[in-house]
Amino acid sequence: LGQVGDTSLGSVVAFFDKVEGAMAPPCKKAKIEQPTQMRLRHIMLKHRECKNTVDKVRNKQIRRSRGEAERILRSILEECEGDPRNKIFTQRCKELSECPTSLSAGDLAGDLGWVKFGKGKFGLAFDAAAIMLQVGELSDLVDSDQGIHVIMRSA
């Protein structure tokens, strides 16, 4: 017969924990809940490299470079940092955005409505940036063939 080692209660419990652990089915990964849709607003600036270079809000041809559009939007992001009520975002949207949604009344300027992800309506980069946002948060600059966007999740 073999030698009996440590038979204390602690070693017996440790032995059975080890045996049960080896026989247990693998744990399921926790499911991360991501919304299928969310309410979004945005400010969009076009540039010469866009698919369509006409500002439909002001009915004029866009002549700015991509770099100029990025500089304008970065300055808007800086302005919005200390504005938890998003009043500056709304004001800049009405003043500068080249999307017809900027004409919406009141705090709905730039409202895209309830956006469902995976439909490809705004592009993969837009969806990827938007889905990471918390309510009230602004994205960094997001490029699409329509222009460069700053996205805000409103709900």
Side-chain angles (χ1 to χ4, degrees), residues 33-80:
E33 287 292 321
Q34 288 192 342
T36 56
Q37 65 179 3
M38 58 180 59
R39 188 88 185 241
L40 301 174
R41 294 172 59 200
H42 75 144
I43 297 173
M44 179 185 72
L45 292 183
K46 294 178 177 251
H47 51 82
R48 290 187 299 248
E49 299 169 38
C50 290
K51 190 175 183 180
N52 180 348
T53 57
V54 175
D55 174 354
K56 293 180 181 178
V57 175
R58 293 160 195 86
N59 200 24
K60 65 177 187 172
Q61 189 68 33
I62 299 300
R63 303 193 191 295
R64 81 171 65 88
S65 69
R66 175 187 298 270
E68 290 172 297
E70 288 176 356
R71 277 191 294 282
I72 294 166
L73 288 171
R74 289 230 180 265
S75 70
I76 291 170
L77 278 173
E78 286 177 20
E79 276 186 275
C80 291

Side-chain angles (χ1 to χ4, degrees), residues 50-140:
C50 290
K51 190 175 183 180
N52 180 348
T53 57
V54 175
D55 174 354
K56 293 180 181 178
V57 175
R58 293 160 195 86
N59 200 24
K60 65 177 187 172
Q61 189 68 33
I62 299 300
R63 303 193 191 295
R64 81 171 65 88
S65 69
R66 175 187 298 270
E68 290 172 297
E70 288 176 356
R71 277 191 294 282
I72 294 166
L73 288 171
R74 289 230 180 265
S75 70
I76 291 170
L77 278 173
E78 286 177 20
E79 276 186 275
C80 291
E81 279 180 14
D83 182 27
R85 300 182 79 199
N86 298 311
K87 297 294 181 190
I88 294 171
F89 182 90
T90 300
Q91 183 181 350
R92 294 297 174 258
C93 183
K94 290 177 181 179
E95 292 171 358
L96 299 171
S97 185
E98 294 161 344
C99 178
T101 61
S102 67
L103 301 173
S104 299
D107 288 342
L108 292 177
D111 186 43
L112 296 170
W114 288 95
V115 176
K116 291 186 180 187
F117 295 106
K119 300 287 184 187
K121 182 176 180 180
F122 298 102
L124 294 176
F126 191 97
D127 283 1
I131 204 156
M132 301 303 291
L133 297 174
Q134 299 298 315
V135 174
E137 188 179 9
L138 296 176
S139 71
D140 197 6

